[in-house]
Amino acid sequence: MAGALAAGCDETRPETRSGQSDDRRSSPAERTTPPTASPDPLAVARRDLAAAQEGYYQAYIGAVASPGDRGRIRRLLSVYTTESPARVVMAARIKGLADRRLAGRAGPDGYYVVERVDVTSLPPRGEATTTVCTYDDGVLYDAARKGPDGQEIVVNDEIESARTRFLWVQQKGAWKLRGGDVVKTWEGGNRCPAKASG
């Protein structure tokens, strides 16, 4: 690779009769723009997977917050491959919330951390696994009724941490979720690594 990038870098310009380099043979852009390296495909894949993971997280939080909103449901389901059994399970889960007139709200301290990204094959036929730890301090509540005191009726406010392995594949130029498995859960507290600042 160094040979390909270095090609032409050591050439000297022919001297003119006056002893000056003949800069007329190259354009100003060629004289002033240094060569740029191609981006590392693995680094690009990891960056794109982190963005896909964030897209999934935001779409999930949005759909749970308003499980009757078809636009939010479509956005969440669009993160999955069309043939994914996990997509069917997620659709049923969100429908179950809507049927029971429940909704969820992210907690003030909840977050996730991508602990590991394993790219087994690069795009365009990419396959990868992300290992994610999620701290969930959210609340599931009755979206249709209030309690006698006028406050929301909380159905579930248990705090939990979970480590999940997500399976990603490239489909039509984008990383799509094929499925995932919960590897471990912890009840009652945050067992995830600290979220990176910034």
Side-chain angles (χ1 to χ4, degrees):
M1 186 165 190
L5 293 177
C9 293
D10 291 338
E11 290 180 25
T12 57
R13 291 193 182 112
E15 297 287 323
T16 61
R17 288 188 186 139
S18 65
Q20 299 291 321
S21 294
D22 186 0
D23 284 341
R24 291 174 290 169
R25 294 180 186 203
S26 59
S27 70
E30 290 172 334
R31 288 190 304 264
T32 59
T33 305
T36 58
S38 298
D40 175 23
L42 184 58
V44 170
R46 286 186 170 144
R47 180 202 65 206
D48 292 349
L49 282 158
Q53 191 73 50
E54 175 67 12
Y56 164 75
Y57 181 76
Q58 293 301 326
Y60 177 75
I61 295 296
V64 169
S66 188
D69 184 325
R70 291 185 180 167
R72 290 182 183 206
I73 296 166
R74 273 193 301 274
R75 180 175 172 221
L76 173 60
L77 297 180
S78 73
V79 174
Y80 290 86
T81 61
T82 52
E83 70 281 355
S84 169
R87 183 179 192 272
V88 174
V89 170
M90 182 57 74
R93 182 177 186 186
I94 299 298
K95 182 180 184 315
L97 291 175
D99 290 349
R100 294 177 9 225
R101 299 168 80 170
L102 301 176
R105 178 180 61 249
D109 298 320
Y111 66 96
Y112 74 93
V113 174
V114 177
E115 296 178 300
R116 184 179 174 125
V117 177
D118 294 309
V119 179
T120 52
S121 62
L122 291 168
R125 294 192 177 136
E127 291 188 11
T129 304
T130 56
T131 303
V132 177
C133 192
T134 305
Y135 171 55
D136 180 4
D137 65 342
V139 173
L140 190 65
Y141 64 94
D142 188 325
R145 297 180 302 262
K146 299 282 185 190
D149 59 357
Q151 299 297 313
E152 69 185 17
I153 299 170
V154 174
V155 176
N156 184 338
D157 63 354
E158 293 179 11
I159 292 174
E160 180 180 87
S161 298
R163 180 167 288 121
T164 307
R165 189 171 298 122
F166 291 90
L167 308 172
W168 296 90
V169 295
Q170 278 270 310
Q171 193 175 67
K172 296 180 182 177
W175 287 103
K176 298 286 185 174
L177 192 53
R178 183 168 55 198
D181 297 304
V182 176
V183 177
K184 186 164 180 70
T185 60
W186 302 273
E187 294 180 6
N190 184 358
R191 300 289 296 270
C192 294
K195 185 174 184 174
S197 60

